[in-house]
Amino acid sequence: MSTLLEMRNIVKKFGKVTALDGVSLTVTDGEIHAIVGENGAGKSTLMKILSGVYSHGSYEGEIFYNQNECKFQNIRDSEKQGIVIIHQELALVPYLSISENVFLGNEQTNHNIIDWNVTRKKTMELLEKVKLHEKPDTLIKDIGVGKQQLVEIAKALSKEVKLLVLDEPTAALNDIESENLLNLLLELKKQGIVSIIISHKLNEIIKVSDNITIIRDGKTVDNFPNENIDENRIIKGMVGRDMLDRYPQRQKTPNQQDILLHVKNWNVYHPAISDKKIIDNVEFYACKGEVVGIAGLMGAGRTELAMSIFGGSYGVNISGTIQKDGKNIPVKTISQAIDNGIAYVTEDRKQYGLILEESIVYNISLANLAAVSKNYVINKFHEKKVSEEYREKLRIKSRDILQNTKDLSGGNQQKVVLSKWLLTNPDILILDEPTRGVDVGAKYEIYQIINQLVEEGKCVIVISSEMPEVIGLSDRIYVMNEGKIIGQLPKSQATQEKIMQMIMSSQNDSRAT
Amino acid sequence: MESIKNNFRQYGMIVALIAIAVLFQVLTNGILLMPINITNLVLQNAYILILAIGMVLVIVTGNIDLSVGSIAGFIGAIAGVFMVRMGLPVWLAIILCLSIGGLAGVFQGYFIAYRGIPAFIVTLAGMLVFRGLNMATLMGQTISPFPTSFQAISQGFIPNFFGGNVNIIAFVLSGLASVCYILIEMHSRKSSKFYGIAVSSNIYFVIKLAIIAFVINLFGYWFAVANGVPFVLILLAVLILFYSFIANKTIVGRHIYAYGGNPKAAELSGIKTKRVVLLVYINMGILSALAGLVFAARLNAATPQAGNAFELDAIAAAFIGGASAMGGVGKVTGAIIGAMVMGILNNGMSIMGIGVDIQQIITGLVLLGAVIFDVSTKNKG
């Protein structure tokens, strides 16, 4: 096989900060190439150089594509060569249709007038290729993230793509959607389209890739074919040390009699479609010192359940009771929920968790300003002191506490959000996708924080789409499907297969009736 | 780096203000900074400064208020009815007027915060409604004159208790103000050190104190040799200090900024966001009423045209002062500086005899330039 792409000794500096310090990457024709590395290792920067986002001359080193040296000035240059990058944040316009999005910037025209028939026909052909069964006129906002990802790929195919770069393509997808996407990449490989995939999900990389390149601290540290490789081998390369135990052990096991939170007969309806039941008669409990996992596919209602408990921040016509230490507590508003010791760490920290343009201090104190105030006046000195304590305790890596949160890596942003909620001194923490977009090292630290919290007698409820994580962290796991809790498993009995079986049989049941 | 950048944005506006002042000082052959003209500047622009304070808070929440000019005009008309036609005592009329302004804020804020109607539309409607109410109240007539005690709000000066040719009271006030300022800064520095927070170097600190104390006393001198300290200046100083304190130091202030920075994250942090928005509009209504009273007192008349296009000046002041249309960013002091920039521009050009047409063009370009500057310094981060 011949070499398709070679990036040699790429060095990229932002001011005094060196983001890439001599990275090399070789991609051969007909392969799927995986790039792995912790957040901030330089993967995305490297891909931005490849696609011309950072123009030729702003970096050192050479790029050869099909044996020709490339000097891309912008994305158009690289796309002309058949290199298309699909970013983590999808670049689709929500209120335009699928076909309008696919041909955005590449409109199918006849004498400068858009020919909608040709556009629709070509879109249908492309949708067939990516196995997306939607009408070309469907609006992007009406389809899920998984399908949107497929639209992005269809868009790439419309540009005669030869080299497809996907940055964290499955981060927001559930297991089935991820599976479909990976199969599609294998399918495209057969048709001669080469993919570069950047991912934190090592099982997926092992499944589809032919070669793996590991980047750490702006350098290529390892590069090997994907043969007889296990995840620990990759993790070792990424963090530079062995990580024998991905989920740190806890000393105590919780006493199942010591129930802290008990949710009963919980029903929630859709905010816009008020006769659609989203949460259906759910009952669950969590004990002091216990980590309770909630597993399920995307759309099972896990986030909706958590948010409806958290002061009715999702849904309408909410009914049911919530008991804490055996007493009913009111959670009609978010501030009531917080006052009663409930904290909710959202799955989307950028949209809903942080004020990105503001500092770490500002974000940490936000949910409990009373703690740093006297007579409604904020003591800014005390506020800084408290934030500094959390920065040290949770090991938030930043220049100082006045740094804007938007400049932090995913893991450090998540630690800021956790600090914010820890300052409210909660007894019950609900963590929704606590490690999404967080690198391996920071993940481990977040797990340690969770352990420390339950050691202190709090209870932690973890919602995660990564099943190994739910299983690895939890003492007990509830499985949800279609707004119902369909069963629970103690840690000793929980396996990925068993959880999937429960979900599948529940789906079959509901279809049969 | 970050703090230098932030400082630059903050001080950049002050530098621009000084540059404009110096420029017009030269162009007007020294008339601009003559003590009597400084007094005029304060008296002429007081109502815009008052509106700008409220407007910057509205803009920080990511909203806008187009109705402030109409409300100010309407309140002026009502004040005329209360004081001149009905002969109510001045203090009672003022309280009633401020309350009506607050009610106007409740009315608009309710639709914006609790019904989710875009602020632009609600306040555009408010602008038409209150403009109409103003005309209906006055029935096309002008009401005047106001009682002298009411006129004093915008035309009076603090009496010179000490007598003599030089207005000692101006020196006393500016001296007191500068001493207070130095004490507050020193206290804050001491607290920073106590909590182990890094502070700027001693020399820098002393220079900063010296410059600001000098500027305060310079104003004291100007007012002393002119007519003395205008009442409205005291009113402005109290408002600026009060709202800066609210914005920077209090929980409600923090909630306003947090809501503007990310409404959803603020709500999920337990902030009662709807109440925050309502509060900001009530406040804007009260300040609009106050501006209307100050304007009516200065004019000594309630007229159907009062308040025309005030909202545009207030909005421009907030944006020149560094507020962001995206919300979450903007300072009370910034809006004050923005309003002063516009005031000096207009005043300076008027002294030079430049027509209103050219004045508008230049003010427009300054607004655009200020925002371009702001956006470009932001993106370089």
Side-chain angles (χ1 to χ4, degrees), chain B residues 286-297:
Chain B
I286 294 171
L287 286 178
S288 303
L290 185 59
L293 292 174
V294 166
F295 186 75

PDB file of all heavy atoms in Angstrom, chain B residues 286-297:
ATOM      1  N   ILE B 286     -37.671  53.025  36.781  1.00  0.00           N
ATOM      2  CA  ILE B 286     -37.489  54.055  37.810  1.00  0.00           C
ATOM      3  C   ILE B 286     -36.446  55.079  37.361  1.00  0.00           C
ATOM      4  O   ILE B 286     -36.645  56.290  37.492  1.00  0.00           O
ATOM      5  CB  ILE B 286     -37.082  53.411  39.150  1.00  0.00           C
ATOM      6  CG1 ILE B 286     -38.238  52.553  39.672  1.00  0.00           C
ATOM      7  CG2 ILE B 286     -36.705  54.487  40.184  1.00  0.00           C
ATOM      8  CD1 ILE B 286     -37.876  51.692  40.866  1.00  0.00           C
ATOM      9  N   LEU B 287     -35.345  54.578  36.789  1.00  0.00           N
ATOM     10  CA  LEU B 287     -34.299  55.503  36.341  1.00  0.00           C
ATOM     11  C   LEU B 287     -34.786  56.343  35.156  1.00  0.00           C
ATOM     12  O   LEU B 287     -34.402  57.514  35.023  1.00  0.00           O
ATOM     13  CB  LEU B 287     -33.023  54.737  35.980  1.00  0.00           C
ATOM     14  CG  LEU B 287     -32.223  54.210  37.173  1.00  0.00           C
ATOM     15  CD1 LEU B 287     -30.999  53.432  36.710  1.00  0.00           C
ATOM     16  CD2 LEU B 287     -31.794  55.342  38.096  1.00  0.00           C
ATOM     17  N   SER B 288     -35.613  55.758  34.296  1.00  0.00           N
ATOM     18  CA  SER B 288     -36.187  56.549  33.194  1.00  0.00           C
ATOM     19  C   SER B 288     -37.018  57.692  33.762  1.00  0.00           C
ATOM     20  O   SER B 288     -36.968  58.823  33.273  1.00  0.00           O
ATOM     21  CB  SER B 288     -37.083  55.684  32.310  1.00  0.00           C
ATOM     22  OG  SER B 288     -36.373  54.594  31.799  1.00  0.00           O
ATOM     23  N   ALA B 289     -37.803  57.369  34.797  1.00  0.00           N
ATOM     24  CA  ALA B 289     -38.626  58.397  35.432  1.00  0.00           C
ATOM     25  C   ALA B 289     -37.743  59.489  36.014  1.00  0.00           C
ATOM     26  O   ALA B 289     -38.003  60.684  35.838  1.00  0.00           O
ATOM     27  CB  ALA B 289     -39.483  57.761  36.520  1.00  0.00           C
ATOM     28  N   LEU B 290     -36.663  59.062  36.676  1.00  0.00           N
ATOM     29  CA  LEU B 290     -35.748  60.035  37.273  1.00  0.00           C
ATOM     30  C   LEU B 290     -35.152  60.932  36.195  1.00  0.00           C
ATOM     31  O   LEU B 290     -35.076  62.162  36.345  1.00  0.00           O
ATOM     32  CB  LEU B 290     -34.644  59.299  38.041  1.00  0.00           C
ATOM     33  CG  LEU B 290     -33.676  60.162  38.829  1.00  0.00           C
ATOM     34  CD1 LEU B 290     -34.409  60.996  39.866  1.00  0.00           C
ATOM     35  CD2 LEU B 290     -32.623  59.292  39.512  1.00  0.00           C
ATOM     36  N   ALA B 291     -34.744  60.305  35.083  1.00  0.00           N
ATOM     37  CA  ALA B 291     -34.176  61.086  33.983  1.00  0.00           C
ATOM     38  C   ALA B 291     -35.217  62.061  33.445  1.00  0.00           C
ATOM     39  O   ALA B 291     -34.891  63.215  33.122  1.00  0.00           O
ATOM     40  CB  ALA B 291     -33.690  60.157  32.874  1.00  0.00           C
ATOM     41  N   GLY B 292     -36.467  61.612  33.361  1.00  0.00           N
ATOM     42  CA  GLY B 292     -37.537  62.482  32.886  1.00  0.00           C
ATOM     43  C   GLY B 292     -37.722  63.690  33.791  1.00  0.00           C
ATOM     44  O   GLY B 292     -37.906  64.821  33.321  1.00  0.00           O
ATOM     45  N   LEU B 293     -37.644  63.450  35.115  1.00  0.00           N
ATOM     46  CA  LEU B 293     -37.785  64.551  36.079  1.00  0.00           C
ATOM     47  C   LEU B 293     -36.633  65.536  35.944  1.00  0.00           C
ATOM     48  O   LEU B 293     -36.831  66.757  35.935  1.00  0.00           O
ATOM     49  CB  LEU B 293     -37.835  63.986  37.507  1.00  0.00           C
ATOM     50  CG  LEU B 293     -39.080  63.168  37.863  1.00  0.00           C
ATOM     51  CD1 LEU B 293     -38.942  62.557  39.246  1.00  0.00           C
ATOM     52  CD2 LEU B 293     -40.327  64.042  37.782  1.00  0.00           C
ATOM     53  N   VAL B 294     -35.411  64.976  35.839  1.00  0.00           N
ATOM     54  CA  VAL B 294     -34.228  65.840  35.731  1.00  0.00           C
ATOM     55  C   VAL B 294     -34.322  66.698  34.467  1.00  0.00           C
ATOM     56  O   VAL B 294     -34.013  67.890  34.470  1.00  0.00           O
ATOM     57  CB  VAL B 294     -32.939  64.983  35.740  1.00  0.00           C
ATOM     58  CG1 VAL B 294     -31.738  65.800  35.301  1.00  0.00           C
ATOM     59  CG2 VAL B 294     -32.700  64.405  37.121  1.00  0.00           C
ATOM     60  N   PHE B 295     -34.787  66.070  33.391  1.00  0.00           N
ATOM     61  CA  PHE B 295     -34.889  66.801  32.131  1.00  0.00           C
ATOM     62  C   PHE B 295     -35.957  67.897  32.227  1.00  0.00           C
ATOM     63  O   PHE B 295     -35.745  69.043  31.805  1.00  0.00           O
ATOM     64  CB  PHE B 295     -35.213  65.830  30.995  1.00  0.00           C
ATOM     65  CG  PHE B 295     -35.208  66.474  29.643  1.00  0.00           C
ATOM     66  CD1 PHE B 295     -34.004  66.794  29.030  1.00  0.00           C
ATOM     67  CD2 PHE B 295     -36.388  66.773  28.988  1.00  0.00           C
ATOM     68  CE1 PHE B 295     -33.977  67.401  27.779  1.00  0.00           C
ATOM     69  CE2 PHE B 295     -36.378  67.387  27.736  1.00  0.00           C
ATOM     70  CZ  PHE B 295     -35.173  67.700  27.130  1.00  0.00           C
ATOM     71  N   ALA B 296     -37.106  67.535  32.812  1.00  0.00           N
ATOM     72  CA  ALA B 296     -38.193  68.519  32.943  1.00  0.00           C
ATOM     73  C   ALA B 296     -37.752  69.684  33.829  1.00  0.00           C
ATOM     74  O   ALA B 296     -38.046  70.849  33.538  1.00  0.00           O
ATOM     75  CB  ALA B 296     -39.430  67.856  33.530  1.00  0.00           C
ATOM     76  N   ALA B 297     -37.000  69.356  34.882  1.00  0.00           N
ATOM     77  CA  ALA B 297     -36.541  70.406  35.792  1.00  0.00           C
ATOM     78  C   ALA B 297     -35.565  71.333  35.086  1.00  0.00           C
ATOM     79  O   ALA B 297     -35.580  72.544  35.300  1.00  0.00           O
ATOM     80  CB  ALA B 297     -35.883  69.775  37.016  1.00  0.00           C
TER      81      ALA B 297
END
